[in-house]
Amino acid sequence: MVTIKLENISKSFRNFKALDNINLEIKDKEYFILLGPTGAGKTTLLKVIAGLIKPDSGNIYFDGTNASTLSPEERNLGFMFENYALFPHMNIYDNISYSSRVNARDVDQTKMIVDQVLMMTLLTGRNNAFPEEMSGGMKQRVALCRALMNLEQSKLLILDEPLKALDAGLRMDLRRELLLMAKSEQLELTVIHVTNEEEEAMMVADRIAIIDNGQIIQVGTPDEIYYHPKNLFVANFMSEINYFEGKCIKNIEPPWDIYKKSKRGDKFFEKIHEDSVPKLIDIGQENKFATYVHKSVSEEIDEENILLVVRANHMKLRLGNRLNQKNNAFFGKIIRRKFMGVFYRFEVLVKFNDFDKIIIVVIPASSEIHETFQVGLDVTVYFPKELGIIVKNPGKEEIANILKLE
Amino acid sequence: MNLYNLGDILSKLSKALQDQELKNVQMPFSLKFDRFFSKPIYRKSLDIITILFFTLVIIGPIINIFSTIFLNIPSIYHDVFNDELIGDLQWLNILNSLGVSFSIATIAVIVDIVIAFPIAIILTRYDFRGKKILDALVDLPMAVPTSALGFSVLLFWGIFGISPGMILIILGHIVFTFPYIVRNLKIVLEKAAILYEDAARTLGASGITVFRTITLPMMKEGLIAGAILSFTRSLGETGATLILSGLVETAPILIVGFRRQLELPSASLLAGILIAISITLLFSIKFFSRRGSFSVKRVWPNLERTLSRKTLRHLRDILAIIILIIVILIPSFYIISRINEGNLFEELFLGQDYKWVYLYMSLMSSIQIGALAVIINLGFGIPFAFIITKREWGKIITILDTILDIPLAIPSAALGFAIFLFWGPAGIGLFQPGFFMILFVHVTFTFPYMVRPIIGVLESSDVGIEEAARTLGASNMTVFRKITAPSIKQGIIAGCIMVFTRSLGETGATIVVMGNIRTIPVLIVDWVEANNIASAIFASTVVIIFSAFLIFALRAVTNRRTKMIAKN
Amino acid sequence: MPKIKLINITKTFDEGKVLAVDNISLTIEDGDYVFLLGPSGCGKTTTLRMIAGLEKPTKGKILIDEKDVDGIPPEDRDMGFIFQHFEIFHHLTVWENVTFGLEMRGYEESYIIKKAKKALEIVGLLNYADEFPSIFGNPGLQKLGIARAIATGAKILIMDEPLGSLDPKVSKVFRHELRNLIKDLRLTAIHVTHNQEEAMAIADKIIIMRAGKILQMGSPYELYENPNSIFVANFLGETNFLQGFVLKLLEDNTMQVWIRLGGPKLLCENKQHKFNLDDNILIAFRFEDVYLFPKNYNFEDSYYDWSKMQFFKASLDSSRFVGATKRFYFSLDNGDKFVSVKPGSYEENYQKGDEMIIAVHLNDIHVFKTPKNLFHELSLS
């Protein structure tokens, strides 16, 4: 069993606070992702868990026991470093078998295991190769094997941006491999995986912790993070978004038809909006917008000053101006479009009272889309009520900070 | 500004940008100048002049020594091996001095490595208040000219009744080689990235195991190179050794002796032998440091784990610091405490031979020579550094790179003698012993000290920004003036300070070529030999303080650079 | 008039030991936003550097505006450059960085001021003109790099992994700003990257390279819909591959293919009679071109014309919600696996182990001859 609990962990370097009162719990056999932009403190946190850095304050518990004073060599975890840190003066065999040797494990048994491991990762016969001769993908496999060999007692694997150094194409394949390996019956690992790519996080995580500026912003399943982001930062981190400033006008009373009934009777949206309250929003357009306010944000927000956030890939398009009270709709003109392979990306210019706004719409590509939605045409942009997100309006400066690229 | 309004702004602006406009093309003079001198022919001429300088100054004298030996085999044979009076006594002396020098160097380097390792680890791996002070203290003996250092060592250990001789020489060499070894270890330990040590620890290895299996093997090359360089430096040390040696003769002392007695054939032979040994050692660094490895297979986990426990580590650290203080730091600066001794005022100012005038003049000579050495080496050193880092001449660059280090490795007395032979009355005859020959010698010795730091900054500087500047239309000269020079400024300043400091302390070769002029270190040697103790103490103190100031300046400059790099 | 033309360009390094670029020819039209796309080591950066004048071709000619540029150094080629690591002059202010190229060209002061101001306005950094670049994070540094490159008015923009040093999230948004800027200024741009998603998102034209050669070039749409090789089909987007052989040749250029080890039988196009009976072939179809139906779906009832769809059975191994998409992992009876990708809001109630009906449109199935070194062809390097 491997559970981890971080309690009030803080760490500063000179004048710079890298970790600010971190509290986190990771469950047994969980594939846990630590997600955040560069410089958020992810690697520092990993090193604290591994014992390579001592926190200024706070405690770490492994399976309920306080492990804060244990040195790294005593913590028995597998650590895979960004850029791998393969010992350049040792060949593959010596690298992989290193932990067995320094823990004085049986030599013959070690050889057997290493041979098997090499076979599984298609590296047989390369025992004597040195790291400088290997490609990025190979080095990654060796680094992974080396970390796994240390897992005899504990079953905790820590990965620090394990795919970052690889070409984009390889990354897609290897993500899934990592997940399958961790969940396999033989291994059943608890994994902490650090990344700054949101797609990677969504692909493999049981739960995700969003971290920025040394603080944990939100922890939840991919669903929760995606559909119920706690604030604009989290919302923006997970996909391209559109946001609108506005205020709540009133609650929506039944018998307004809230849940879209699908042909297959899907209860997905019922589930994610179990704890939400439907409200009507005014964002400065003539028609009003209906969406849900999730309970996790309802305390934080000031109903007079909220942001309505809709993900670019939740927007839909229809030709022409179709006024439809039940669907939250904008009317505008397509000013740009781009084929991106799986998706088409549109920029639609929409008029508001004092300003014009560009709404980003991303929809699955098909030949109909290709032929129908040309630049210059009038269109209706709309989104299902269930897919609107309400968060607190942090103010113009903070919005610019989060969205502005500097 | 709203991200999503960008499109509007852009389309409005682009329309404005497309208007045709008049551009007055009028290149400022500085750029025209740059373009003119960026032409390949000027670069090639500069390269040729620089290489010529390098050859004359370093390679010429060395080749000359060997050719002199070969051309004078009869007289050498006569003087050294077959003298009427003493037979081959001279040769036996030579062999004996070589043996003495080798044993001293070996012992000094080994002792230094043992002391320096824990200190270097403390300085690179720990973080504590006062670390900077420890770092500076460890560097200081390097600041002091060796003759002053030697004198201080003499006075200190004299308290315990240790008189000039083998032991005192060894104690002196331990002191003055120490900072070089620590610096080398620090560089190597920092490079042997902490990352790999962290990886090893997460895999279960404890302190000593990590050190043995990871740190040591990875720093092997740097360690060997540093050890060999320190070895050759000890081999060639003259200034302090003259003061500490008593009746013992090391090889450089023997050369000085031969020179003073005008026994040129013997001096040539010994100088040639010393140069040959040093060059061999130097080249062996490049070729042999790749072979041979520490055993990384055998592990004794339990034993090593016990040995790695904190208490033992602390014990080791404290012991190292105590030894550092007693054996190295105190002897180095002891002399300052004796400044009020004896009749300093009388001796210096009231004596019949106007010692203070000599002091003043030799200080001036040292400063003048130092300053001129800096200027000359700047002029040739910067282009040379560029040749080594930027030209793609293949094997020639490797050769030049290795030869560049020769002045570091060769005993100064030997090279000084080679220069004397080459340029002096016995050779080309262009220079007489005196100011210019001393300057020549100093330029030769300090050349690597200018070039190496500049190579260091050039190599670590961003080639990318130079390319970027070129793509923006800058010619080579402009790139150098506006982009490269500002970024290597710190390297240049560091080079200048190091050249000046080294020149200030240069003793061995100076004695060989000095004629009637005295530089400060030589003056100290003279006064000690003539038993003018108080004056010697005073002179040493002046020089120590001056050099300490220079070293602090050097540290301030290089620290600022590290901060700038970290920021970017 | 083509803006840039490469004619039989070859580049070797190390006295001929390393062949970086192998006899490539290409044309870039005025105003095109072109991508050189490929895995690490394919020669794309070397090609870019030759166009820029930072490397000399070993063989071949480069024409810019119909003129041979051999011997013309980068500073005289009138191009703007953007680098992966920005290469900002940290010892100069923002303003001085942007005016650098203009100063080098010797323009008159008022002209320089005008152009520099415009460039900074375009990227939104005018307020920081007197600051030093150290105040910026990576996006700001790259914006400064862009301002510096476009200030001189150069009409060709050369970019080497310009988004490579940005956080993934930032780069996904920045890329569109970059494209919009290039389009608004009507620049011809050449952009090198290994990230196919980036290329697909913002390129007008993509040139795919591998091992020094050009494999295919065309618009993202052309390459995506009609890949000419297994590598291109695999490299762009996400593709399923199944091995089989030709069972029957039919009229109107179609054939029946039998997937190996007793897999399903599918109809595929046999354009220009490229394939013969018994040929070993590889069929490919994209993750998003897979349609899913539950076992008991009633096809009769709907109005859709199913004639061109190919149906087969598979069982669902697992599914995964990935935000913008949902991924479904399937196994065929013969053990082969494939993946289907749907929009994130796709509604379903599928369970692990469900037997389902899969459909792929005839036009969405690409066919290739199975090469001897299939493993190498399917590798992404």
Side-chain angles (χ1 to χ4, degrees):
Chain A
M1 239 248 307
V2 182
T3 63
I4 305 174
K5 182 161 164 201
L6 298 170
E7 203 179 61
N8 299 333
I9 298 280
S10 290
K11 176 72 185 176
S12 296
F13 294 108
R14 305 287 152 107
N15 332 324
F16 158 66
K17 197 155 203 189
L19 296 175
D20 191 358
N21 204 21
I22 304 271
N23 284 285
L24 208 54
E25 279 192 51
I26 297 170
K27 308 186 189 138
D28 189 32
K29 300 201 186 74
E30 198 171 21
Y31 200 107
F32 193 88
I33 294 267
L34 205 50
L35 175 66
T38 314
K42 315 187 287 288
T43 303
T44 312
L45 187 54
L46 286 189
K47 289 197 172 170
V48 165
I49 297 177
L52 295 167
I53 293 182
K54 273 181 86 73
D56 296 332
S57 60
N59 289 306
I60 304 181
Y61 299 88
F62 288 138
D63 287 337
T65 331
N66 193 331
S68 309
T69 51
L70 291 182
S71 63
E73 48 265 32
E74 290 168 321
R75 295 199 189 197
N76 282 318
L77 36 83
F79 199 117
M80 192 172 133
F81 291 78
E82 190 183 342
N83 294 316
Y84 318 131
L86 294 181
F87 305 131
H89 57 298
M90 297 186 196
N91 61 27
I92 294 191
Y93 186 86
D94 288 334
N95 259 288
I96 296 183
S97 60
Y98 186 79
S99 73
S100 301
R101 283 185 289 125
V102 297
N103 287 306
R105 300 201 192 119
D106 179 56
V107 173
D108 294 318
Q109 209 194 22
T110 302
K111 182 154 190 347
M112 214 171 60
I113 300 180
V114 175
D115 283 340
Q116 270 181 13
V117 156
L118 288 174
M119 202 170 65
M120 285 198 314
T121 51
L122 304 175
L123 287 170
T124 329
R126 315 289 312 255
N127 282 15
N128 289 321
F130 279 80
E132 61 186 0
E133 307 164 32
M134 298 195 277
S135 71
M138 284 170 66
K139 280 199 268 207
Q140 195 244 22
R141 275 176 275 159
V142 173
L144 193 54
C145 294
R146 186 179 71 177
L148 288 175
M149 289 287 292
N150 199 34
L151 288 185
E152 255 191 57
Q153 280 112 326
S154 100
K155 297 278 202 150
L156 174 60
L157 181 64
I158 298 185
L159 309 169
D160 191 358
E161 312 232 33
L163 305 176
K164 188 160 172 195
L166 301 173
D167 265 359
L170 273 176
R171 256 183 253 159
M172 301 286 297
D173 288 341
L174 292 180
R175 273 174 206 167
R176 188 158 160 75
E177 304 279 321
L178 278 177
L179 178 61
L180 289 176
M181 177 202 72
K183 297 287 181 189
S184 69
E185 271 172 19
Q186 299 100 314
L187 291 175
E188 286 190 334
L189 304 173
T190 307
V191 176
I192 307 178
H193 172 153
V194 152
T195 180
N196 62 0
E197 277 210 59
E198 79 284 3
E199 224 183 272
E200 184 164 302
M202 298 287 280
M203 269 284 271
V204 298
D206 288 331
R207 280 193 308 150
I208 304 176
I210 310 267
I211 177 173
D212 188 31
N213 284 330
Q215 292 177 330
I216 303 274
I217 313 283
Q218 186 173 359
V219 182
T221 63
D223 274 3
E224 286 165 6
I225 304 269
Y226 196 76
Y227 289 112
H228 304 302
K230 235 168 92 162
N231 57 26
L232 183 64
F233 175 81
V234 176
N236 184 49
F237 202 86
M238 304 311 289
S239 80
E240 211 173 356
I241 58 170
N242 299 290
Y243 72 95
F244 312 95
E245 292 177 294
K247 53 185 189 229
C248 298
I249 311 179
K250 61 175 185 180
N251 288 3
I252 298 177
E253 313 290 348
W256 234 31
D257 182 5
I258 309 290
Y259 300 114
K260 198 165 116 182
K261 285 222 168 45
S262 76
K263 296 188 193 114
R264 299 184 201 94
D266 180 65
K267 300 234 166 156
F268 177 69
F269 288 117
E270 274 187 41
K271 263 208 306 231
I272 64 171
H273 285 304
E274 239 170 7
D275 301 308
S276 306
V277 178
K279 289 197 194 273
L280 204 58
I281 315 281
D282 176 5
I283 60 172
Q285 292 259 301
E286 260 192 56
N287 51 332
K288 306 291 173 242
F289 291 77
T291 186
Y292 293 85
V293 177
H294 193 246
K295 77 157 184 226
S296 64
V297 288
S298 51
E299 317 268 302
E300 317 257 323
I301 60 173
D302 166 19
E303 293 210 343
E304 291 297 305
N305 190 12
I306 49 96
L307 285 183
L308 169 62
V309 174
V310 184
R311 300 196 182 280
N313 51 299
H314 287 163
M315 290 290 195
K316 300 183 198 287
L317 280 182
R318 274 236 161 90
L319 267 191
N321 293 351
R322 296 172 190 230
L323 198 58
N324 185 335
Q325 200 76 16
K326 285 199 186 145
N327 285 327
N328 309 305
F330 303 88
F331 310 109
K333 206 191 277 278
I334 299 179
I335 57 170
R336 278 194 229 265
R337 79 167 195 174
K338 185 72 179 66
F339 172 72
M340 302 200 330
V342 182
F343 295 105
Y344 251 105
R345 182 179 183 277
F346 294 90
E347 290 182 23
V348 179
L349 189 64
V350 169
K351 288 198 178 333
F352 279 65
N353 283 337
D354 313 324
F355 54 90
D356 288 345
K357 203 173 172 83
I358 297 181
I359 296 188
I360 313 288
V361 180
V362 170
I363 48 183
S366 68
S367 34
E368 298 101 76
I369 308 279
H370 185 68
E371 274 139 30
T372 319
F373 294 101
Q374 308 284 348
V375 174
L377 294 180
D378 285 334
V379 286
T380 306
V381 180
Y382 65 99
F383 64 93
K385 302 182 232 7
E386 298 80 16
L387 295 178
I389 298 170
I390 301 288
V391 293
K392 172 170 150 185
N393 186 345
K396 281 216 175 353
E397 213 183 287
E398 185 60 18
I399 294 179
N401 224 0
I402 293 175
L403 295 181
K404 193 152 67 169
L405 311 164
E406 259 166 41
Chain B
M1 191 171 68
N2 188 335
L3 182 74
Y4 302 104
N5 282 334
L6 205 50
D8 285 349
I9 299 174
L10 289 182
S11 30
K12 286 185 198 137
L13 278 171
S14 72
K15 288 209 188 85
L17 270 175
Q18 275 147 40
D19 295 339
Q20 288 304 313
E21 284 153 23
L22 287 171
K23 341 168 184 177
N24 237 333
V25 186
Q26 198 189 2
M27 208 167 279
F29 177 73
S30 58
L31 291 181
K32 283 203 202 138
F33 177 89
D34 286 341
R35 289 223 152 198
F36 187 71
F37 280 104
S38 294
K39 292 202 187 125
I41 183 168
Y42 289 104
R43 187 212 279 185
K44 289 194 183 128
S45 337
L46 186 60
D47 283 353
I48 293 178
I49 295 177
T50 310
I51 303 269
L52 207 61
F53 168 84
F54 183 66
T55 320
L56 279 178
V57 163
I58 295 185
I59 303 183
I62 294 178
I63 297 183
N64 183 56
I65 271 249
F66 290 118
S67 62
T68 310
I69 293 179
F70 281 117
L71 290 177
N72 286 304
I73 289 193
S75 53
I76 289 181
Y77 183 71
H78 174 261
D79 274 9
V80 177
F81 292 96
N82 209 8
D83 186 82
E84 301 94 22
L85 285 174
I86 50 178
D88 62 352
L89 189 62
Q90 206 72 303
W91 175 241
L92 292 175
N93 277 343
I94 289 178
L95 284 180
N96 186 52
S97 72
L98 284 170
V100 167
S101 285
F102 264 80
S103 18
I104 293 175
T106 313
I107 298 177
V109 167
I110 292 179
V111 169
D112 271 336
I113 290 183
V114 168
I115 306 178
F117 237 122
I119 303 283
I121 292 182
I122 293 177
L123 290 173
T124 52
R125 296 279 184 267
Y126 302 176
D127 208 8
F128 54 91
R129 273 218 210 115
K131 183 163 104 161
K132 285 217 178 94
I133 300 178
L134 181 62
D135 206 55
L137 280 178
V138 157
D139 254 355
L140 276 181
M142 194 160 69
V144 185
T146 51
S147 41
L149 207 56
F151 191 38
S152 188
V153 169
L154 174 73
L155 289 178
F156 177 73
W157 292 112
I159 300 179
F160 302 96
I162 302 182
S163 45
M166 195 66 166
I167 296 185
L168 199 59
I169 301 180
I170 293 178
L171 284 170
H173 279 227
I174 289 178
V175 169
F176 106 93
T177 318
F178 182 76
Y180 296 98
I181 291 196
V182 169
R183 260 196 175 214
N184 168 257
L185 282 180
K186 268 175 58 187
I187 293 176
V188 166
L189 274 176
E190 268 159 13
K191 272 200 193 147
I194 303 186
L195 180 65
Y196 297 105
E197 294 177 2
D198 275 354
R201 290 175 73 199
T202 63
L203 291 166
S206 52
I208 293 195
T209 317
V210 173
F211 183 74
R212 242 185 2 95
T213 56
I214 308 294
T215 321
L216 266 189
M218 289 185 68
M219 52 185 277
K220 186 185 56 183
E221 267 175 62
L223 184 57
I224 293 180
I228 290 184
L229 273 178
S230 306
F231 185 86
T232 54
R233 198 165 284 126
S234 169
L235 259 192
E237 212 294 311
T238 322
T241 321
L242 280 170
I243 295 180
L244 299 168
S245 60
L247 293 172
V248 174
E249 285 180 332
T250 64
I253 290 184
L254 202 56
I255 292 185
V256 168
F258 287 152
R259 165 73 178 84
R260 278 177 174 165
Q261 288 149 30
L262 292 178
E263 292 174 24
L264 300 190
S266 311
S268 309
L269 181 63
L270 183 50
I273 294 178
L274 273 176
I275 292 178
I277 292 178
S278 307
I279 294 184
T280 314
L281 281 174
L282 190 60
F283 276 85
S284 72
I285 296 180
K286 306 269 170 166
F287 293 114
F288 289 120
S289 56
R290 292 216 163 235
R291 314 271 181 81
S293 49
F294 295 80
S295 157
V296 292
K297 296 259 186 191
R298 306 261 309 265
V299 281
W300 303 274
N302 293 323
L303 173 64
E304 294 183 329
R305 204 155 285 173
T306 331
L307 286 177
S308 306
R309 275 220 311 265
K310 251 198 202 156
T311 37
L312 276 174
R313 236 191 321 136
H314 285 322
L315 201 62
R316 172 200 80 200
D317 290 342
I318 295 177
L319 200 63
I321 295 190
I322 292 179
I323 297 184
L324 171 73
I325 296 179
I326 297 182
V327 174
I328 295 180
L329 291 179
I330 296 186
S332 305
F333 299 101
Y334 175 69
I335 195 167
I336 300 181
S337 68
R338 299 274 291 256
I339 193 169
N340 267 327
E341 188 158 293
N343 312 319
L344 175 62
F345 191 69
E346 270 177 37
E347 221 181 86
L348 206 51
F349 292 98
L350 303 181
Q352 296 227 317
D353 43 3
Y354 301 108
K355 286 205 181 50
W356 67 273
V357 172
Y358 277 112
L359 181 60
Y360 176 75
M361 281 175 53
S362 59
L363 195 58
M364 282 301 112
S365 302
S366 284
I367 293 180
Q368 280 169 352
I369 291 177
L372 283 173
V374 166
I375 295 175
I376 296 178
N377 276 331
L378 259 183
F380 289 100
I382 296 181
F384 194 81
F386 270 82
I387 291 179
I388 298 227
T389 45
K390 305 246 180 230
R391 302 285 177 270
E392 295 168 6
W393 295 346
K395 299 243 166 62
I396 298 185
I397 298 287
T398 332
I399 296 178
L400 285 176
D401 193 51
T402 317
I403 296 180
L404 174 66
D405 280 336
I406 286 183
L408 294 176
I410 290 187
S412 53
L415 189 49
F417 188 72
I419 290 176
F420 167 75
L421 268 190
F422 189 57
W423 293 103
I428 296 184
L430 207 57
F431 294 108
Q432 293 296 322
F435 186 84
F436 283 103
M437 205 175 269
I438 299 180
L439 179 58
F440 214 100
V441 157
H442 282 226
V443 163
T444 310
F445 275 104
T446 53
F447 191 68
Y449 286 92
M450 175 64 79
V451 175
R452 282 281 169 226
I454 300 183
I455 291 183
V457 272
L458 275 178
E459 273 173 357
S460 68
S461 80
D462 206 346
V463 178
I465 51 171
E466 291 168 9
E467 247 175 30
R470 287 185 67 207
T471 63
L472 288 164
S475 56
N476 282 323
M477 270 300 279
T478 316
V479 171
F480 173 71
R481 267 197 317 114
K482 291 205 161 198
I483 308 295
T484 322
S487 63
I488 65 173
K489 200 171 48 180
Q490 254 91 14
I492 295 181
I493 296 179
C496 292
I497 296 180
M498 283 187 73
V499 165
F500 194 81
T501 314
R502 178 76 181 83
S503 165
L504 203 61
E506 192 349 81
T507 322
T510 317
I511 293 183
V512 171
V513 303
M514 64 188 174
N516 287 325
I517 306 227
R518 293 288 178 274
T519 57
I520 273 255
V522 177
L523 189 65
I524 294 176
V525 172
D526 272 359
W527 278 350
V528 172
E529 282 180 346
N531 218 16
N532 296 327
I533 302 296
S535 316
I537 294 179
F538 184 70
S540 304
T541 310
V542 165
V543 139
I544 288 179
I545 295 179
F546 192 42
S547 316
F549 170 70
L550 283 173
I551 282 284
F552 279 119
L554 175 65
R555 292 173 57 85
V557 159
T558 43
N559 278 343
R560 205 151 38 102
R561 177 166 173 269
T562 337
K563 277 205 192 112
M564 265 193 76
I565 292 183
K567 232 177 143 209
N568 290 332
Chain C
M1 167 182 79
K3 195 81 176 162
I4 302 176
K5 225 169 156 173
L6 267 64
I7 304 176
N8 296 117
I9 290 290
T10 300
K11 176 69 182 174
T12 58
F13 288 103
D14 222 354
E15 290 145 21
K17 282 189 233 159
V18 176
L19 179 60
V21 177
D22 191 357
N23 198 19
I24 62 170
S25 301
L26 57 92
T27 319
I28 298 173
E29 303 292 337
D30 193 18
D32 265 354
Y33 188 170
V34 173
F35 268 67
L36 292 174
L37 173 68
S40 301
C42 69
K44 53 193 193 293
T45 304
T46 312
T47 307
L48 187 75
R49 288 171 65 87
M50 285 193 284
I51 297 176
L54 293 166
E55 302 273 1
K56 272 178 81 72
T58 312
K59 274 192 244 162
K61 270 206 288 205
I62 299 181
L63 304 178
I64 299 183
D65 286 331
E66 303 277 299
K67 281 191 289 253
D68 189 347
V69 291
D70 182 37
I72 302 184
E75 52 263 34
D76 293 333
R77 291 199 189 195
D78 200 27
M79 295 174 173
F81 292 79
I82 301 181
F83 304 85
Q84 179 177 2
H85 300 294
F86 324 125
E87 311 306 354
I88 295 297
F89 308 133
H90 285 280
H91 60 293
L92 302 177
T93 62
V94 166
W95 180 259
E96 287 164 346
N97 264 278
V98 177
T99 55
F100 190 88
L102 293 159
E103 304 259 356
M104 287 303 118
R105 281 164 170 76
Y107 292 149
E108 188 211 23
E109 170 125 9
S110 58
Y111 183 74
I112 293 181
I113 295 179
K114 204 180 342 186
K115 297 286 270 180
K117 252 184 97 192
K118 284 213 175 98
L120 282 172
E121 270 171 359
I122 290 179
V123 299
L125 296 181
L126 189 55
N127 290 335
Y128 302 101
D130 289 324
E131 309 278 352
F132 280 90
S134 51
I135 60 167
F136 292 134
N138 285 349
L141 287 175
Q142 196 56 298
K143 282 187 174 177
L144 179 54
I146 294 174
R148 182 179 67 179
I150 63 176
T152 58
K155 288 316 230 162
I156 301 177
L157 201 58
I158 306 278
M159 302 183 279
D160 187 2
E161 299 268 17
L163 307 174
S165 296
L166 303 177
D167 260 1
K169 178 69 185 74
V170 170
S171 101
K172 283 188 189 145
V173 180
F174 199 104
R175 60 170 71 141
H176 298 289
E177 273 200 53
L178 182 60
R179 176 183 164 84
N180 293 346
L181 181 149
I182 289 171
K183 287 294 153 190
D184 286 335
L185 294 176
R186 309 234 176 148
L187 302 174
T188 307
I190 310 173
H191 178 147
V192 154
T193 184
H194 65 274
N195 186 339
Q196 57 89 24
E197 201 213 319
E198 184 171 296
M200 291 295 294
I202 58 178
D204 289 335
K205 180 166 154 176
I206 299 180
I207 301 173
I208 297 198
M209 293 183 68
R210 188 190 196 200
K213 293 199 177 40
I214 292 181
L215 292 187
Q216 191 173 359
M217 33 185 183
S219 72
Y221 194 78
E222 282 161 22
L223 261 59
Y224 200 77
E225 299 295 309
N226 297 310
N228 71 354
S229 63
I230 296 176
F231 181 82
V232 174
N234 194 24
F235 196 83
L236 292 180
E238 294 184 277
T239 314
N240 293 302
F241 289 93
L242 296 175
Q243 291 183 58
F245 67 94
V246 179
L247 187 60
K248 246 197 280 198
L249 292 171
L250 306 165
E251 333 87 32
D252 64 303
N253 293 345
T254 54
M255 57 184 176
Q256 193 184 39
V257 159
W258 199 356
I259 302 301
R260 66 175 179 172
L261 302 175
K265 297 189 181 121
L266 305 169
L267 277 179
C268 311
E269 289 175 327
N270 187 2
K271 292 197 190 121
Q272 295 151 349
H273 300 283
K274 249 199 326 185
F275 300 99
N276 303 310
L277 217 49
D278 281 344
D279 272 350
N280 277 327
I281 50 93
L282 201 62
I283 69 160
F285 52 96
R286 299 216 184 271
F287 287 13
E288 68 272 14
D289 287 338
V290 179
Y291 296 89
L292 310 178
F293 304 95
K295 202 166 39 174
N296 45 16
Y297 189 78
N298 194 341
F299 289 92
E300 323 280 297
D301 258 0
S302 83
Y303 291 108
Y304 191 81
D305 171 20
W306 302 107
S307 58
K308 288 237 161 110
M309 291 297 247
Q310 301 301 302
F311 293 93
F312 53 95
K313 292 210 197 80
S315 77
L316 180 64
D317 291 337
S318 61
S319 66
R320 181 93 205 172
F321 167 70
V322 195
T325 57
K326 266 190 186 170
R327 299 168 83 87
F328 299 92
Y329 299 90
F330 287 97
S331 292
L332 292 175
D333 280 340
N334 68 356
D336 281 344
K337 304 210 186 285
F338 65 93
V339 182
S340 164
V341 157
K342 295 284 167 207
S345 46
Y346 182 77
E347 290 164 22
E348 43 83 18
N349 225 343
Y350 307 149
Q351 306 293 333
K352 265 198 199 151
D354 273 359
E355 276 269 310
M356 302 194 54
I357 302 181
I358 314 292
V360 186
H361 196 280
L362 180 63
N363 292 342
D364 291 333
I365 301 181
H366 308 283
V367 194
F368 304 95
K369 269 209 167 71
T370 307
K372 287 200 187 64
N373 51 347
L374 181 60
F375 191 64
H376 173 68
E377 285 308 306
L378 283 176
S379 106
L380 289 168
S381 50

